[in-house]
Amino acid sequence: ISHEDFRHVCHKWHVMMAKTFIFLLEAKEYTLLRNAFLVLSELIPHFPRVKRLELALNKKVQTISKEEDDLAGTEKARNDIRALCKSYLGKLQQQQDNLLSEEEFH
């Protein structure tokens, strides 16, 4: 496999992973959210690397974070999900300098 083919496949995998994680984050189910955040937190040194994908994930996580903040203090509050959101957003912020444009990555 040539280097260009590898870059193409790697980009394709990143796009598929981003779509999958966004789908999981939209599910709103506790276990799916928790597991998605745990995996995303472990992948942060390697994923996402493309600015566009990071923006999509960041937007979805910020939405969840706001929803969880609104539930704080109620019996529906999920403080662990709220903490995972904040933690992951902080990790994304730290990775801003390492992000690549679509053209650089692909």
Side-chain angles (χ1 to χ4, degrees):
I1 185 169
S2 71
H3 181 67
E4 285 302 314
D5 288 342
F6 174 75
R7 287 177 58 187
H8 178 71
V9 169
C10 192
H11 179 265
K12 186 176 178 180
W13 290 339
H14 274 244
V15 170
M16 289 188 326
M17 285 174 56
K19 287 180 180 179
T20 301
F21 281 115
I22 289 170
F23 174 78
L24 291 172
L25 295 173
E26 288 174 345
K28 307 280 188 215
E29 185 181 323
Y30 172 80
T31 305
L32 291 177
L33 280 173
R34 183 177 175 276
N35 290 342
F37 280 122
L38 292 175
V39 172
L40 282 168
S41 293
E42 291 298 317
L43 290 176
I44 199 74
H46 313 287
F47 175 82
R49 278 288 161 249
V50 180
K51 181 68 176 168
R52 178 179 63 91
L53 302 178
E54 186 274 339
L55 287 172
L57 279 168
N58 196 325
K59 182 179 177 182
K60 178 46 72 182
V61 174
Q62 284 187 13
T63 301
I64 294 169
S65 181
K66 181 171 179 355
E67 290 170 358
E68 294 300 323
D69 285 346
D70 292 344
L71 292 174
T74 68
E75 62 183 55
K76 291 185 178 183
R78 300 183 295 188
N79 292 328
D80 56 338
I81 297 294
R82 192 169 158 224
L84 287 168
C85 279
K86 303 283 186 202
S87 173
Y88 186 66
L89 286 170
K91 290 176 183 180
L92 280 177
Q93 187 63 35
Q94 290 176 341
Q95 293 294 321
Q96 291 296 310
D97 294 338
N98 299 327
L99 296 174
L100 302 171
S101 70
E102 200 90 26
E103 295 77 29
E104 291 173 312
F105 191 83
H106 184 238

